[in-house]
Amino acid sequence: MKRMAIFLTVVVLMALMLATTVFYQVDYNQVALLRTFGDTTTITKPGPHTKWPWPIQRVIHYDINTHVLEDALNQQKLADDQNVLLTMYCAWRLTNAKEFDTRFESVQRGEEFIRRQLENTTGNLVGKYKMQDLVNTDPKAMRLKNLEDQIVEALRPQLNQAGIELVALGTKSLGVTENVSKAIINAQQSERKRAADAFNTQGQAIAQAIRDRARADSEQIIAFANRKAELIKAEGELWVTKQYPAFQKAPELAMFLRSLDSLKIEMQRKTVVLLDWNNLPALKLFRDGTNGISRVNATTMPATAPAAAAMK
Amino acid sequence: MIVQRRGKNIALIGAVLQTVLSGVMLAIWLATDSLAAMACTWFLAVGVLIWLMAGMVFYCRQMERREALEGEEIAAGSKSTIFQREGDDLHPAAGRVRFIERWIAPSFALLLAVGQFLIVFFMARMLKDARVAEAPFLMHPGAGIIFALLAGFAGFLFSRYCVGMGERSEWRLLRATGSYMTVNVMVVAATVVSLGCAYFATTTPASAQALLRIDLLVAALVIVIQLVFAIEMVLNFVLDLYRPRVSGQEERFSFDSRLYNLVAQPGRVGHSLAEAINYQFGFEVSKSWFYRLVIRALVPMMLFGILLMIALSSIVVVENGQKAVLTHWGQFNTIVGPGIHVKWPWPIDSAQHYDADRVQNLLLGVGQPRKLEDRQGAIVRKGWVYREIYLWKEDHGPIEERDFVVASPPRDASNKAPALNLIKLVVSVQYSIDKLADYVQYTDAPKMLECLASKEMVQYCAAATLDKGLAENAEGRPEAIMTFGRGKAGEKLKELIQVAVDKLKLGVHIDYVGLQAVHLPKEVVPDDEMVLEAERRQTLARYEAQADANRLLAAVAGDTATAKWLVMSIRKKEDLETLRLAGEGAFKTKMGEVQRRVRDEIGTLEKEIEQDRLLGRVGSEADSDATADDSIAFQKQLVQACQDYLKQLQALEAKSADAAGLRKALDDGMLAANAEADKLLAQALGRPATVVAQAQSARWTREMAERASAEAFDHRLQAYQASPEVYMQDRWLDVWDEVLPTMTKYVLCADRDKVEVRLNWEQTKGMMSGVDYGESKK
């Protein structure tokens, strides 16, 4: 009983091993190449299939889905002597597995071929463009899409021959080299410093203008007020002249009274007076006593100005 | 007795060593901030109590043994006494041992379990807080590793020694403590691994997150081990209550962990299991019929397992948010949604799962993961939590942001080629699988989407402006992607990416595209901040100047608003006066000058309004009481007044053909402006008001004085006519009488020609003479 069990186990295991060499399966997203002593048949129908065991027949599977391939970051020289770092991508799929297998034997080698072709074609074409064609403030002046179209046009026939269909191609990234990026950053720094200086200068100018404007406004108001004040005073003087006819009855008296008024005002300031007892009647009393009063002569008295020497 | 004394000594040495190990781990915890070290410290500290408990048991047993020997000696000397006693009264040490085994040791185990539960609870809370940290890092991990290794090695040697001693039944208790220390050493080793990760693998953000996980993981592991130990002690305590007591059977304490014994002596797993089962049940379970039945049924059970696996491969469980593609013999069969589905077993049917309904995220414009050391400037710590602040002038975030080239207008007017600027632009694309049948046609659909989206980003954003708006006719060019145009640019980019994706039938729906980060390179940021600072300074200078201007205007009119209105009226009056005085030929020229000046004023005011608007000082339009200080509504009123005046000037210009009409209009305007100015001046406070008031006062004083003189003159004339000389002398002396009393006077008591008057004209120096007013510098 125990020996039977061991025998059965061995048989089952061998049957399973044989099945793996006789049966194979093609998935819906695959194509299989059945190779019989070097003769290759393409099997596209998904499902289970049978074959002779190895080494009579063997099966190679290829994925027929769309693959995506990304190029390395390549430095390219442009028509205006500028450098640019470009990364291109392309989407591809197998259209002729037999041809592909004959040429490359594996997807990895096939992708290597596509990558080389992509690099070469891009290098050949990008040199005809200037930096402003790739990056521009005007979207209409950007010709990046033209470049991609040209690469597709040049690449497609070469890939078709190898059983590959080019599905899509585009620019994944666009940059500049480290040294150039440093230079750009320096320029950006300078630009901002300049902007900061402009703000500072402009600020001072604006502030000065505001102060000047306010000063001009205030001076204008003061001038207007002064003008107004002068006008008021002039009106007053005009009114005063209307009083003059009253003084015409005795102009000498009017003038004498006006002189006294003036004298009174002038004498109110810091004044040192030398009083000559010859002139001031009250002082003559010092010199002459009461006898001198009779000798007062009206002619000795100035009519319009004091005889004393007044100094300010 | 010697055996027990040796056991006691070993236990005490163990307690000392355990204390040292705990101290070392405490120092490592404090030095490195490692959570694993923290958990390890607590775990080790508990061991000290276990060693002390073991030492106490050994001591009591030593005493018991001594007592027994003494008893034997006494028994050998006299066969019986009248004071013969039995039980614990005669053997207190033995009774003490029994008491410890029966009460103290289980109570100790229970208390130890409670303590462990508390430690586990508090450490779990700390771990919960630490879990939110984004980028932790450990300090001085190298030193921590060295000390932990040294301590761990010492602990390992001692634990193996104790476990070896524990093989003998007399020292069985050392197996419990040795096993505990062995597990301690393993935990220390795990902490060393965590510190090692911190030391060697902190160069990338991915490893930083991994470090977080490892440190947290080790800490959590230690907590779990402690928890298991505590639960086991409680279980041991409970089971010990119901365990059948067999006379002469070796006592096993509740704190002697069976699990730790397994870990400490893995080679004796089977033996330990059988021993544990047999010990617990009190008989040889491994020789029972059930055990033998299980051994016989092993092969059929394995076959059953294989059949079960085949059956399970016939069931497909699709999680929520997923879809599965079912293939039958490799052919595309169907797509099934969430739920349980039946299929043929493998290899007939296969299922491939996709996150079809889940929103997935894709980042564009990013490079390699950023090293943790490069992000130190952006990381701040608050308690146990580390946070990263995303400042532009520091490298921040887990992934490096790549440079993106953006065109800007030529710096040099002679050069037509645009200048280049570099920015950091990261775009987030969120998508979900729309048509799975199309999606699976690509070997790497996410990468295809990344390429397509990157292409659109490069083409669309290269022409963008950073913070300035664009004219309306600048079609197709994104504007202000750093500021207000960010959302719009994201929407447009989403539209473009969706078109590209649909064109290639990628089966993806773009849910959202957003400009996640748009900023200048960190080298430019300080200069850019300098611009902002200068802009603020400009605003400050403007405000200071406005404050000065307000003070100046308030000094001449009482308040700024009155001053401005007054100036406007004065200027209007003067303008009209100038126009009136200008001849027919000069009228147009003068009119042009006036209108230009008014337009300039409007422009200046509007510019100030715009600046205030940008600074958020928006005043209410309806604010009729607006003042110049706090509302731009006042400036708008001024603008309106200027515009009205401009219209008035234009109307006058239109009348230039009609000379008489023009003159009349000018006169009317002038009078109105003058009246307005007079009215405002009358309302105004300040210096001009004082000047006018003083003028009015002087006028009235003068008028009154003259009127009084005129009215008094008739009377004075009569007096004069009565005696002209006396009257004049009298008045003249009156003046001297009035002024002389208050003045310095010298009386010349000699003839005038005998007096020589010398005057010193030298002026005495005033208080402020000699002060330099700065004129000397000029």
Side-chain angles (χ1 to χ4, degrees):
Chain A
M1 182 67 186
K2 194 175 178 182
R3 286 183 179 177
M4 180 61 80
I6 293 168
F7 176 73
L8 280 174
T9 308
V10 171
V11 167
V12 168
L13 287 173
M14 287 184 69
L16 283 172
M17 285 176 67
L18 187 67
T20 56
T21 61
V22 173
F23 295 102
Y24 69 96
Q25 187 167 297
V26 179
D27 286 347
Y28 69 96
N29 54 1
Q30 285 181 331
V31 65
L33 297 178
L34 186 61
R35 187 165 291 160
T36 314
F37 295 120
D39 181 30
T40 306
T41 312
T42 307
I43 310 293
T44 55
K45 191 184 173 188
H49 300 273
T50 55
K51 69 176 182 69
W52 289 102
W54 184 86
I56 302 166
Q57 283 189 323
R58 75 184 178 98
V59 175
I60 304 153
H61 290 90
Y62 279 106
D63 191 339
I64 55 167
N65 276 347
T66 303
H67 298 248
V68 188
L69 181 145
E70 194 179 305
D71 186 15
L73 198 65
N74 277 315
Q75 185 172 351
Q76 308 282 2
K77 197 157 189 74
L78 300 174
D80 54 0
D81 283 339
Q82 296 209 46
N83 287 337
V84 70
L85 290 173
L86 274 180
T87 309
M88 308 296 289
Y89 73 87
C90 81
W92 62 277
R93 68 170 158 242
L94 270 178
T95 49
N96 188 338
K98 197 172 172 182
E99 185 66 35
F100 186 87
D101 183 66
T102 306
R103 286 178 178 242
F104 310 117
E105 285 189 324
S106 69
V107 171
Q108 286 74 23
R109 289 187 62 187
E111 283 197 330
E112 194 57 33
F113 167 78
I114 299 169
R115 188 171 282 117
R116 294 277 164 269
Q117 293 293 322
L118 181 61
E119 279 175 12
N120 292 339
T121 315
T122 306
N124 293 340
L125 293 170
V126 78
K128 296 174 183 173
Y129 290 80
K130 294 178 181 176
M131 183 61 94
Q132 65 196 73
D133 298 327
L134 308 181
V135 183
N136 205 305
T137 49
D138 181 7
K140 288 171 191 165
M142 282 176 67
R143 296 171 60 211
L144 202 56
K145 195 169 181 323
N146 290 15
L147 171 67
E148 290 165 358
D149 290 345
Q150 281 189 330
I151 295 170
V152 169
E153 204 176 318
L155 198 59
R156 184 163 278 157
Q158 298 168 37
L159 298 186
N160 281 345
Q161 285 174 5
I164 299 165
E165 181 196 349
L166 181 60
V167 178
L169 184 142
T171 311
K172 193 183 173 196
S173 76
L174 190 152
V176 289
T177 57
E178 197 177 341
N179 287 336
V180 176
S181 83
K182 277 180 188 168
I184 291 174
I185 284 170
N186 287 341
Q188 284 178 280
Q189 287 171 332
S190 307
E191 208 165 26
R192 270 148 188 82
K193 277 175 187 152
R194 198 173 60 184
D197 287 345
F199 271 120
N200 285 333
T201 317
Q202 208 179 1
Q204 286 166 7
I206 288 170
Q208 191 59 40
I210 290 170
R211 287 192 179 95
D212 289 347
R213 219 164 43 230
R215 200 169 293 120
D217 288 351
S218 69
E219 282 170 3
Q220 199 159 15
I221 291 170
I222 290 168
F224 182 74
N226 286 339
R227 187 174 160 184
K228 194 80 191 164
E230 287 303 316
L231 200 64
I232 290 166
K233 284 178 188 170
E235 281 173 359
E237 283 164 10
L238 185 65
W239 188 88
V240 166
T241 56
K242 289 175 185 168
Q243 306 299 321
Y244 285 172
F247 299 112
Q248 281 300 319
K249 296 171 191 169
E252 71 285 353
L253 177 62
M255 292 303 289
F256 171 70
L257 290 173
R258 181 70 188 85
S259 299
L260 289 181
D261 289 343
S262 178
L263 180 65
K264 204 187 294 180
I265 292 166
E266 291 302 317
M267 284 296 164
Q268 281 171 353
R269 301 211 183 152
K270 188 180 175 184
T271 311
V272 176
V273 181
L274 296 179
L275 298 174
D276 187 352
W277 62 6
N278 295 314
N279 287 33
L280 203 62
L283 293 177
K284 286 176 183 173
L285 292 175
F286 280 113
R287 192 185 66 185
D288 304 329
T290 51
N291 299 332
I293 297 172
S294 59
R295 288 206 296 271
V296 171
N297 189 352
T299 54
T300 59
M301 182 194 65
T304 56
M311 293 175 292
K312 294 179 199 175
Chain B
M1 192 173 72
I2 295 168
V3 171
Q4 301 301 336
R5 189 170 63 205
R6 192 173 170 193
K8 179 195 72 181
N9 292 339
I10 293 291
L12 291 178
I13 292 169
V16 172
L17 182 62
Q18 190 82 23
T19 309
V20 171
L21 289 179
S22 305
V24 170
M25 287 316 293
L26 176 68
I28 292 170
W29 167 29
L30 296 177
T32 62
D33 287 344
S34 165
L35 294 170
M38 176 195 71
C40 194
T41 304
W42 285 108
F43 190 36
L44 262 67
V46 170
V48 178
L49 299 175
I50 298 174
W51 281 107
L52 289 174
M53 186 67 200
M56 192 177 80
V57 171
F58 276 121
Y59 175 72
C60 290
R61 283 179 180 172
Q62 183 190 343
M63 293 295 106
E64 181 202 19
R65 188 64 196 143
R66 179 183 289 173
E67 186 183 71
L69 285 173
E70 285 172 356
E72 282 170 12
E73 282 175 11
I74 292 167
S78 63
K79 289 183 179 175
S80 65
T81 68
I82 56 170
F83 303 109
Q84 188 171 10
R85 289 179 297 174
E86 288 184 353
D88 292 346
D89 290 345
L90 192 59
H91 305 289
R96 195 161 52 235
V97 168
R98 275 195 295 281
F99 180 74
I100 285 175
E101 287 176 350
R102 195 168 179 183
W103 298 106
I104 300 293
S107 304
F108 170 76
L110 205 59
L111 286 172
L112 204 63
V114 171
Q116 299 265 55
F117 281 129
L118 287 173
I119 291 171
V120 165
F121 174 72
F122 285 113
M123 282 202 298
R125 281 185 64 177
M126 291 180 85
L127 251 63
K128 191 183 169 191
D129 291 341
R131 195 161 51 83
V132 300
E134 280 185 12
F137 57 94
L138 303 186
M139 310 296 288
H140 319 298
I145 289 169
I146 291 167
F147 283 104
L149 279 176
L150 287 172
F153 185 65
F156 176 72
L157 292 179
F158 192 74
S159 69
R160 298 316 300 164
Y161 177 69
C162 290
V163 169
M165 283 183 78
E167 292 286 323
R168 287 182 59 178
S169 60
E170 302 92 328
W171 293 323
R172 193 73 79 202
L173 194 53
L174 289 178
R175 189 176 63 179
T177 51
S179 300
Y180 190 85
M181 190 177 261
T182 304
V183 177
N184 283 175
V185 169
M186 288 178 176
V187 167
V188 170
T191 308
V192 168
V193 170
S194 169
L195 294 171
C197 290
Y199 187 75
F200 291 110
T202 56
T203 51
T204 63
S207 61
Q209 292 305 318
L211 166 67
L212 167 65
R213 282 195 290 275
I214 289 168
D215 199 48
L216 278 174
L217 196 70
V218 171
L221 186 70
V222 176
I223 291 173
V224 168
I225 290 169
Q226 263 187 298
L227 187 66
V228 168
F229 181 53
I231 292 169
E232 194 196 349
M233 276 196 291
V234 173
L235 282 174
N236 285 347
F237 176 80
V238 172
L239 290 172
D240 211 32
L241 294 177
Y242 298 101
R243 182 176 62 80
R245 297 305 197 261
V246 179
S247 178
Q249 192 183 33
E250 187 185 331
E251 188 67 30
R252 192 163 184 178
F253 294 105
S254 300
F255 58 83
D256 182 4
S257 169
R258 278 70 166 167
L259 291 172
Y260 285 9
N261 285 343
L262 287 180
V263 175
Q265 293 177 295
R268 298 178 71 248
V269 171
H271 181 74
S272 298
L273 276 173
E275 189 186 66
I277 292 168
N278 294 343
Y279 176 80
Q280 191 59 46
F281 287 96
F283 63 95
E284 296 284 329
V285 175
S286 54
K287 290 178 183 171
S288 66
W289 64 270
F290 181 75
Y291 181 79
R292 293 182 179 181
L293 179 69
V294 169
I295 295 297
R296 271 207 308 275
L298 192 62
V299 175
M301 279 170 73
M302 285 175 71
L303 286 173
F304 175 75
I306 291 167
L307 287 172
L308 192 66
M309 283 174 68
I310 292 170
L312 285 174
S313 77
S314 304
I315 297 170
V316 181
V317 179
V318 181
E319 296 285 336
N320 187 31
Q322 285 190 331
K323 280 182 182 167
V325 174
L326 295 186
T327 56
H328 183 71
W329 289 119
Q331 295 181 57
F332 187 93
N333 185 11
T334 184
I335 294 172
V336 291
I340 296 180
H341 306 274
V342 180
K343 69 174 181 69
W344 287 100
W346 183 86
I348 301 166
D349 276 11
S350 295
Q352 291 167 313
H353 291 74
Y354 294 90
D355 289 334
D357 296 330
R358 291 198 176 116
V359 175
Q360 295 170 64
N361 195 34
L362 178 69
L363 283 182
L364 308 177
V366 292
Q368 296 299 314
R370 183 172 274 136
K371 292 177 183 174
L372 185 62
E373 62 200 30
D374 294 339
R375 300 161 60 191
Q376 295 298 324
I379 293 174
V380 292
R381 178 184 167 177
K382 191 178 178 184
W384 288 94
V385 180
Y386 293 87
R387 290 187 192 285
E388 188 165 11
I389 302 172
Y390 281 41
L391 291 173
W392 293 355
K393 61 183 175 186
E394 300 285 355
D395 285 329
H396 56 261
I399 308 176
E400 179 197 354
E401 296 152 320
R402 281 185 182 157
D403 287 339
F404 188 85
V405 181
V406 179
S408 64
R411 292 188 177 95
D412 181 4
S414 61
N415 189 0
K416 287 181 182 175
L420 297 181
N421 276 332
L422 289 179
I423 59 166
K424 303 287 184 183
L425 175 62
V426 178
V427 173
S428 167
V429 179
Q430 291 178 355
Y431 67 96
S432 50
I433 299 169
D434 191 17
K435 294 170 186 165
L436 190 55
D438 288 341
Y439 187 81
V440 296
Q441 300 297 321
Y442 287 81
T443 52
D444 191 350
K447 189 176 178 185
M448 186 74 236
L449 175 61
E450 184 191 344
C451 290
L452 288 172
S454 297
K455 176 185 172 180
E456 297 303 329
M457 181 177 93
V458 167
Q459 295 205 343
Y460 180 65
C461 294
T465 64
L466 300 183
D467 50 8
K468 299 282 189 301
L470 284 170
E472 285 180 4
N473 56 357
E475 204 178 329
R477 191 179 171 200
E479 61 176 343
I481 57 170
M482 279 175 72
T483 53
F484 63 88
R486 204 159 157 169
K488 198 176 158 189
E491 283 170 18
K492 181 67 183 172
L493 208 49
K494 179 188 168 204
E495 193 183 315
L496 291 169
I497 294 171
Q498 187 67 64
V499 169
V501 162
D502 290 347
K503 193 177 169 188
L504 282 184
K505 291 184 178 174
L506 196 59
V508 163
H509 178 259
I510 308 296
D511 296 312
Y512 170 79
V513 174
L515 276 56
Q516 187 167 306
V518 193
H519 61 84
L520 297 165
K522 68 172 184 178
E523 296 86 353
V524 186
V525 171
D527 297 292
D528 194 59
E529 286 177 352
M530 218 159 71
V531 176
L532 298 176
E533 195 185 325
E535 206 172 347
R536 295 287 83 76
R537 270 207 301 270
Q538 189 194 78
T539 307
L540 181 69
R542 193 162 69 86
Y543 285 157
E544 282 176 352
Q546 279 176 345
D548 288 347
N550 288 348
R551 272 196 294 275
L552 198 62
L553 292 174
V556 296
D559 65 89
T560 315
T562 308
K564 294 212 170 186
W565 288 122
L566 184 56
V567 166
M568 186 171 278
S569 299
I570 293 167
R571 285 200 185 135
K572 197 190 270 188
K573 176 185 160 293
E574 288 181 355
D575 288 343
L576 296 173
E577 203 173 319
T578 309
L579 290 171
R580 190 171 169 277
L581 293 173
E584 205 170 311
F587 178 77
K588 279 196 172 179
T589 314
K590 292 283 179 194
M591 179 59 92
E593 285 173 8
V594 172
Q595 286 190 10
R596 202 175 307 120
R597 185 183 56 74
V598 176
R599 283 197 190 93
D600 287 348
E601 277 178 23
I602 292 171
T604 307
L605 285 167
E606 283 178 341
K607 201 174 169 185
E608 283 177 1
I609 290 168
E610 180 60 15
Q611 281 174 335
D612 281 342
R613 190 189 66 76
L614 290 173
L615 289 167
R617 294 182 65 204
V618 181
S620 167
E621 296 275 355
D623 188 1
S624 57
D625 297 328
T627 64
D629 292 334
D630 60 1
S631 174
I632 60 171
F634 172 72
Q635 285 170 302
K636 287 185 178 174
Q637 287 174 10
L638 282 178
V639 170
Q640 187 57 49
C642 286
Q643 282 169 345
D644 292 345
Y645 178 41
L646 194 62
K647 281 178 191 165
Q648 186 186 355
L649 289 171
Q650 286 164 348
L652 287 171
E653 193 176 20
K655 285 184 182 174
S656 59
D658 176 13
L662 176 65
R663 179 169 287 273
K664 187 175 180 312
L666 283 170
D667 286 342
D668 291 346
M670 214 166 69
L671 282 172
N674 199 32
E676 179 69 17
D678 285 348
K679 187 181 154 193
L680 287 166
L681 192 66
Q683 292 171 357
L685 305 170
R687 195 174 141 202
T690 309
V691 169
V692 172
Q694 282 173 347
Q696 281 173 338
S697 169
R699 174 186 168 177
W700 287 111
T701 306
R702 177 102 191 258
E703 280 182 12
M704 289 302 108
E706 289 299 328
R707 179 177 284 179
S709 295
E711 285 171 0
F713 188 73
D714 285 341
H715 302 292
R716 285 173 180 160
L717 184 60
Q718 286 174 16
Y720 172 71
Q721 284 170 345
S723 175
E725 286 183 5
V726 174
Y727 179 78
M728 286 175 74
Q729 184 74 16
D730 186 37
R731 294 306 310 275
W732 186 72
L733 288 173
D734 282 348
V735 171
W736 286 109
D737 289 344
E738 194 175 332
V739 301
L740 278 178
T742 56
M743 111 186 6
T744 309
K745 42 201 173 283
Y746 302 90
V747 179
L748 295 179
C749 299
D751 290 338
R752 195 183 294 174
D753 49 356
K754 291 179 182 173
V755 176
E756 185 184 3
V757 178
R758 291 184 183 179
L759 296 174
N760 181 9
W761 293 101
E762 186 184 350
Q763 290 186 348
T764 52
K765 285 186 177 177
M767 193 184 289
M768 299 297 286
S769 60
V771 176
D772 185 1
Y773 294 99
E775 292 175 354
S776 58
K777 291 179 184 175
K778 289 178 182 176

